[in-house]
Amino acid sequence: MSTETLFEAPPMAEQERMVEAILFASSEPLDTRALTARLPHGCDVAQALALLQKRYAGRGVHLLRSGDDWAFRTAADLSFLMQKEVVETRKLSRAAIETLAIVAYHQPVTRAEIEEIRGVSVSRGTVDLLMELDWIRLGRRRQTPGRPVTFTTTPGFLAHFGLETPRDLPDLKELRAAGLLDNRPPPGTSVEREVDDDHDQDDMFE
């Protein structure tokens, strides 16, 4: 006559698999009492956990104990793989867009020429921002009185906007249709001064 009963514990290898399945499916760590309540009668949860912990040693995830609770966690040396870098997209201000467009279409161009085209002076913060984005850079100095520096676009500008050369830029009619170069004061009007806030570049965004 068989001595097996309905309450006989499964083999240890099966107990280990059961504990593994429960911990993987759980959204939070579990203690031995909670694990015992879910396993068949007679299971040795402590031994199953010890074997499972040993089996996962050196793997991408480890079975870790925190107080009385157990949970699978990413190996500490691989935690960098779980980090997610979020790129924050921010809209450039109208001043920055217009300045960038003028440089792109009139390069090499001086600050004075940019201001003449826009009808307002260009703040240092606007230029600094476009240079930090690696969209414009300093060009050669003009061989004119004062030898002012010029600005040109960069390879980074072309790459960002999917252009092979500056000749691939849309024409001025398309640019104005997009609302980038309209509503400027007519030439000859008094120059307005933009707010130059070098400490808070948030003013460069809308």
Side-chain angles (χ1 to χ4, degrees), residues 41-200:
H41 179 75
C43 286
D44 189 339
V45 174
Q47 185 178 356
L49 286 168
L51 293 173
L52 197 60
Q53 189 176 42
K54 183 177 180 180
R55 182 154 63 91
Y56 273 89
R59 302 284 295 274
V61 292
H62 294 167
L63 179 59
L64 299 180
R65 179 179 181 179
S66 178
D68 294 329
D69 296 332
W70 294 81
F72 283 107
R73 294 288 183 262
T74 302
D77 62 321
L78 299 179
S79 60
F80 70 95
L81 296 173
M82 303 300 109
Q83 296 176 355
K84 180 180 179 181
E85 296 184 3
V86 178
V87 178
E88 181 182 2
T89 302
R90 305 178 71 185
K91 184 179 178 181
L92 285 175
S93 70
R94 187 179 194 84
I97 292 174
E98 290 185 351
T99 300
L100 177 63
I102 292 170
V103 173
Y105 283 98
H106 297 272
Q107 58 185 310
V109 60
T110 66
R111 181 190 295 268
E113 291 167 341
I114 296 173
E115 293 176 345
E116 182 179 0
I117 294 171
R118 289 196 64 224
V120 295
S121 63
V122 180
S123 74
R124 190 172 66 182
T126 298
V127 174
D128 288 347
L129 174 64
L130 293 175
M131 294 185 72
E132 288 178 9
L133 291 172
D134 191 32
W135 286 353
I136 69 172
R137 64 185 175 187
L138 296 178
R140 293 183 177 180
R141 289 183 176 273
R142 283 280 172 82
Q143 299 304 313
T144 57
R147 301 189 65 225
V149 297
T150 60
F151 297 96
T152 65
T153 54
T154 66
F157 166 81
L158 297 176
H160 182 84
F161 290 97
L163 305 172
E164 291 188 15
T165 71
R167 290 190 297 272
D168 296 323
L169 285 163
D171 59 35
L172 293 179
K173 182 178 179 181
E174 293 173 317
L175 198 62
R176 290 193 178 96
L180 299 180
L181 286 180
D182 56 353
N183 297 328
R184 297 193 307 273
T189 57
S190 59
V191 175
E192 299 175 4
R193 186 68 187 173
E194 293 176 4
V195 175
D196 185 0
D197 188 350
D198 299 324
H199 301 289
D200 187 1

Side-chain angles (χ1 to χ4, degrees), residues 1-5:
M1 182 175 178
S2 175
T3 59
E4 293 182 356
T5 70

